[in-house]
């Protein structure tokens, strides 16, 4: 059942959302009690429970968007390019789920320009390229689907629907 699968996906994403809230609390304060408190407040929020219990796109948007911001913070701390690549990819996925996710892409580029220690073009290109990649793949998939559908209709018209003549009456939609 598709609805049950979507609810299961949302439950897993809610757990990820609580984890990101706890990790962000620990990253900001370096105190375990603050991280546990922020995770507990997030898990007990009635608004978030309602949001993640319905089958909506926000359940994908919030963890990917704020997860991107968290991964960018980790990148600023450790300077490991894996975190930069994951931050760009998750920002792109948040933009794919909801178009306001473009704000996470812009904030990430702005963060790299403002807080990066001499941001290099390679870092900006990596982040921006991976942030745009999910949308490009989705657009290419849509274009290929449309091209395939168009090719199917053209072949159907050319090879399946042939005009036929019966006596002097032209009947274009009958096959021979």
């Amino acid at each position: 059942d598709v609805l049950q699968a979507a609810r299961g996906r949302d439950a897993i994403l809610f757990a990820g959302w609580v984890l990101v809230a706890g990790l962000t609390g620990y990253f900001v304060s370096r105190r375990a009690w603050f991280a546990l408190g922020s995770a507990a407040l997030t898990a007990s929020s009635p608004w978030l429970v309602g949001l993640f219990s319905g089958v909506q796109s926000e359940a994908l948007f919030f963890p990917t968007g704020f997860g991107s911001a968290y991964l960018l913070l980790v990148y600023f701390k450790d300077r490991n390019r894996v975190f930069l690549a994951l931050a760009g990819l998750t920002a792109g996925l948040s933009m794919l789920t909801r178009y306001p996710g473009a704000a996470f892409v812009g904030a990430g580029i702005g963060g790299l320009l403002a807080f990066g220690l001499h941001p290099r073009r390679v870092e900006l290109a990596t982040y921006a390229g991976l942030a745009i990649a999910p949308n490009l793949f989705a657009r290419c998939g849509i274009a290929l689907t449309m091209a395939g559908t168009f090719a199917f209709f053209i072949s159907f018209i050319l090879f399946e629907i042939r005009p036929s003549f019966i006596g002097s009456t032209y009947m274009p939609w009958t096959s021979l």
Side-chain angles (χ1 to χ4, degrees):
D1 181 49
V2 176
L3 190 60
Q4 242 356 67
R7 286 189 179 136
R9 178 210 63 197
D10 288 349
I12 292 169
L13 287 171
F14 182 67
W17 179 251
V18 171
L19 179 69
V20 166
L23 288 174
T24 305
Y26 185 76
F27 184 81
V28 169
S29 69
R30 296 284 181 217
R31 302 219 188 309
W33 65 269
F34 189 79
L36 289 173
S38 63
L41 280 174
T42 302
S44 64
S45 169
W47 181 76
L48 287 174
V49 169
L51 181 77
F52 282 91
S53 63
V55 181
Q56 301 173 10
S57 63
E58 284 85 358
L60 288 169
F61 172 69
F62 285 121
T64 55
F66 287 105
S68 167
Y70 174 73
L71 288 169
L72 203 55
L73 286 174
V74 172
Y75 169 73
F76 286 146
K77 181 181 177 261
D78 292 339
R79 292 290 171 187
N80 188 349
R81 288 188 189 223
V82 171
F83 292 115
L84 178 68
L86 287 173
L89 189 62
T90 54
L93 289 174
S94 73
M95 188 169 62
L96 188 63
T97 58
R98 306 228 0 137
Y99 286 121
F104 287 106
V105 175
I109 291 173
L112 281 172
L113 289 173
F115 301 117
L117 300 173
H118 310 292
R120 293 178 285 184
R121 291 183 183 135
V122 174
E123 292 175 341
L124 290 171
T126 300
Y127 182 83
L130 285 172
I132 292 173
N135 283 303
L136 288 178
F137 287 134
R139 300 293 181 249
C140 289
I142 291 170
L144 288 175
T145 302
M146 289 174 56
T149 305
F150 181 72
F152 171 75
F153 283 127
I154 293 298
S155 67
F156 184 75
I157 289 170
L158 290 178
F159 299 112
E160 294 295 325
I161 302 174
R162 292 178 284 240
S164 66
F165 292 93
I166 296 177
S168 62
T169 308
Y170 175 69
M171 297 172 46
W173 302 110
T174 59
S175 60
L176 294 175

